[in-house]
Amino acid sequence: MYDCLVKHQLATQDYIKSIAKLSLKEGVDVVKLKWMALKLNVTNAAVSDMVKKLVKEGLVINHAYKGIELTDQGWFMGRRLIRHHRLWEVFLHTTLNVPWDEIHEEAEHLEHAASDALMNRIDEYLGFPTTDPHGNPIPNGDGTLSFNANEQSLNNVSDGEDYVVTRFESLDATYLQYLTHHGFAIGVSVKVVKRFDFDHSVLIDMAGGSLQLSYQISQQIFVVKSMD
Amino acid sequence: MYDCLVKHQLATQDYIKSIAKLSLKEGVDVVKLKWMALKLNVTNAAVSDMVKKLVKEGLVINHAYKGIELTDQGWFMGRRLIRHHRLWEVFLHTTLNVPWDEIHEEAEHLEHAASDALMNRIDEYLGFPTTDPHGNPIPNGDGTLSFNANEQSLNNVSDGEDYVVTRFESLDATYLQYLTHHGFAIGVSVKVVKRFDFDHSVLIDMAGGSLQLSYQISQQIFVVKSMD
DNA sequence: CTTTTAGTTTTAGCTTGCTTAAAATTTGCT
DNA sequence: AGCAAATTTTAAGCAAGCTAAAACTAAAAG
Ligand SMILES: [Mn+2]
Ligand SMILES: [Mn+2]
Ligand SMILES: [Mn+2]
Ligand SMILES: [Mn+2]
């Protein structure tokens, strides 16, 4: 089964991976075609066209005018690509010291080029990591993917309590550079000291001092309660 | 927009690399379209068609009905891809222990997926190797490629003298398995003890004993005079 | 219930890279 | 030189992925 999924076109792979990622991120089964078009930087028509092919291949179900949903086979393929992508990111970051904000773009291409056998070797070489350098969980070789259920957006946590950064949602290079510059990284301790209702920004306390984060930014930083 | 470029580039890259490799292997500047068609497993018409596009991009010169030749720009692109391919082969073999006969196929895909910056990091990580695991020289980052001028085909060397294996021309998996099985590897000592004119096969002496090699096989093994 | 708006689908047409078939050209052999 | 074989080129056509623009659907607002 795996092999027949492997030899798909590059475009097919990117579409399926995008559906899987949008579905996970938004917490819904049915994904709007519009979201796909925005994410892949193509027209709605291109997505609608491709959906027909993906349906024919048994990878997605089209709920006409409502959105699309991955089949089991589609989910399998999606998780496989997410696995490849995140393993490459760990490899690039820990073994080759490629900067944090460059690994995503490089992995975007490598994810399609390596066989499952090679990815398993890399997985082993890296000591079977469970998350990528941005804190995202790495699916297993058998196609399963687990989440951190305790994770919350930094924008939603209780004021005054201590939290630890576990994950950064966006992978945009300038966003990551901004966070790095202000001392953010996986494992860093943070606390919300003030909350501004008019623009939903938050004032954060962390080791380096305090810092005000816009809604857009704080929303993309995920944390868990500190165990101290 | 998206990755329509990638697909175009992928085909272009494989064509250019093939011209470069055939040119080097055959020791000529002008390559027959027929050779390309055989190597890439497409029709002559497909090659002829693609040549028009490559000419338009300034990568090749078409000597009508006689064959094609790379421009300086084409050579630069060709050596770049050969560099990527061979660096990946070294990495796969020495760092991840991927078997000798599997690395070529895997590198065939990875060569298109990594940036120059990444390949330079891998080059450094590997300690700037000069040859790939099959003994082929690795072009430098600046696009230069040097050869071992003393190298000779095992089929052409003087009888009774000692030689050391430096390179295997063919990359076919079963051919490489055959050689490994009989004790061949880069650096192994060999001597031609007998030569059969009727089929141009040769009888070889090596550490493991003696072995008779067909013309097709001995021709693809390259050696230099032993320095003992 | 009708209108507005946001999102989806269809239609027509483009480029790339391939195919087969046929025509053009070169090369090799008597 | 003359002819046949091999090679290259052209021609016509197909599938994948894209675009722009028009047609359509569903749901919210009036
Ligand atoms: Mn990423
Ligand atoms: Mn990708
Ligand atoms: Mn190779
Ligand atoms: Mn290749």
Side-chain angles (χ1 to χ4, degrees), chain A:
Chain A
M1 177 184 183
Y2 233 67
D3 278 353
C4 67
L5 295 183
V6 170
K7 59 168 189 199
H8 272 98
Q9 303 286 328
L10 195 130
T12 301
Q13 291 184 4
D14 275 333
Y15 272 90
I16 293 297
K17 198 186 76 165
S18 290
I19 302 169
K21 289 193 72 178
L22 284 168
S23 186
L24 291 170
K25 184 177 172 184
E26 305 295 332
V28 293
D29 283 339
V30 175
V31 166
K32 302 295 276 180
L33 277 68
K34 191 75 193 297
W35 305 349
M36 296 289 299
L38 279 171
K39 190 171 176 96
L40 293 169
N41 199 30
V42 295
T43 59
N44 295 354
V47 177
S48 186
D49 205 24
M50 179 62 88
V51 164
K52 285 182 206 155
K53 293 167 201 162
L54 299 178
V55 168
K56 213 176 288 175
E57 295 181 66
L59 295 167
V60 313
I61 296 161
N62 188 11
H63 301 287
Y65 290 98
K66 302 285 180 58
I68 49 179
E69 190 183 356
L70 288 175
T71 61
D72 286 350
Q73 203 192 340
W75 268 113
F76 200 78
M77 185 174 173
R79 281 189 296 255
R80 172 181 177 271
L81 283 160
I82 292 170
R83 171 178 162 80
H84 284 208
H85 181 98
R86 293 182 181 166
L87 282 173
W88 274 117
E89 288 191 333
V90 176
F91 168 76
L92 293 172
H93 191 58
T94 66
T95 305
L96 297 180
N97 297 309
V98 177
W100 207 41
D101 57 298
E102 291 176 20
I103 59 178
H104 176 73
E105 188 53 33
E106 205 83 55
E108 201 57 52
H109 297 107
L110 292 168
E111 67 189 5
H112 309 283
S115 68
D116 288 333
L118 176 55
M119 292 322 298
N120 289 341
R121 274 182 199 273
I122 289 177
D123 194 14
E124 186 186 347
Y125 176 80
L126 296 170
F128 306 106
T130 57
T131 61
D132 76 10
H134 307 109
N136 302 110
I138 299 175
N140 295 111
D142 61 15
T144 58
L145 172 57
S146 51
F147 301 93
N148 189 339
N150 303 318
E151 227 178 39
Q152 292 174 269
S153 162
L154 184 53
N155 200 266
N156 298 331
V157 299
S158 320
D159 296 14
E161 292 204 53
D162 288 314
Y163 289 89
V164 173
V165 174
T166 56
R167 185 165 68 87
F168 299 99
E169 180 79 51
S170 168
L171 305 164
D172 177 74
T174 54
Y175 162 83
L176 293 174
Q177 281 157 14
Y178 176 88
L179 291 181
T180 306
H181 181 257
H182 288 95
F184 272 97
I186 306 291
V188 160
S189 293
V190 291
K191 187 198 297 193
V192 173
V193 292
K194 207 161 169 103
R195 190 175 290 277
F196 300 91
D197 281 349
F198 55 86
D199 68 347
H200 301 96
S201 67
V202 288
L203 186 65
I204 300 297
D205 243 22
M206 49 190 294
S210 64
L211 175 69
Q212 189 162 346
L213 298 176
S214 71
Y215 173 71
Q216 285 75 10
I217 288 190
S218 66
Q219 195 202 15
Q220 310 224 54
I221 299 172
F222 285 78
V223 297
V224 294
K225 271 223 174 74
S226 178
M227 290 302 170
D228 300 343

Side-chain angles (χ1 to χ4, degrees), chain B residues 55-197:
Chain B
V55 167
K56 214 175 287 175
E57 295 182 65
L59 295 166
V60 314
I61 297 160
N62 188 11
H63 301 286
Y65 289 97
K66 300 286 174 60
I68 49 179
E69 189 182 357
L70 289 176
T71 62
D72 287 350
Q73 203 193 336
W75 268 113
F76 198 80
M77 185 173 172
R79 280 189 297 255
R80 172 181 177 274
L81 283 159
I82 292 170
R83 170 179 162 81
H84 284 207
H85 181 98
R86 292 180 181 168
L87 282 173
W88 275 117
E89 288 191 334
V90 176
F91 168 76
L92 293 172
H93 191 58
T94 67
T95 305
L96 296 181
N97 297 308
V98 178
W100 207 42
D101 57 298
E102 292 177 18
I103 59 178
H104 177 73
E105 187 54 33
E106 205 85 52
E108 200 59 51
H109 298 107
L110 291 168
E111 66 190 6
H112 309 284
S115 69
D116 287 335
L118 177 55
M119 292 321 299
N120 289 341
R121 275 182 198 274
I122 289 177
D123 194 14
E124 186 186 346
Y125 176 80
L126 296 170
F128 305 107
T130 57
T131 61
D132 77 10
H134 308 111
N136 302 110
I138 298 175
N140 294 111
D142 61 14
T144 57
L145 172 59
S146 52
F147 300 94
N148 190 337
N150 302 317
E151 226 179 38
Q152 290 174 269
S153 162
L154 184 53
N155 201 267
N156 297 331
V157 299
S158 320
D159 295 15
E161 292 203 55
D162 288 313
Y163 290 89
V164 173
V165 174
T166 55
R167 186 165 68 87
F168 299 99
E169 179 80 49
S170 168
L171 305 164
D172 177 74
T174 54
Y175 161 85
L176 293 174
Q177 280 157 14
Y178 175 88
L179 291 180
T180 306
H181 181 255
H182 288 95
F184 273 96
I186 306 292
V188 160
S189 293
V190 292
K191 187 198 296 192
V192 172
V193 292
K194 206 161 172 157
R195 190 174 289 278
F196 301 91
D197 281 349

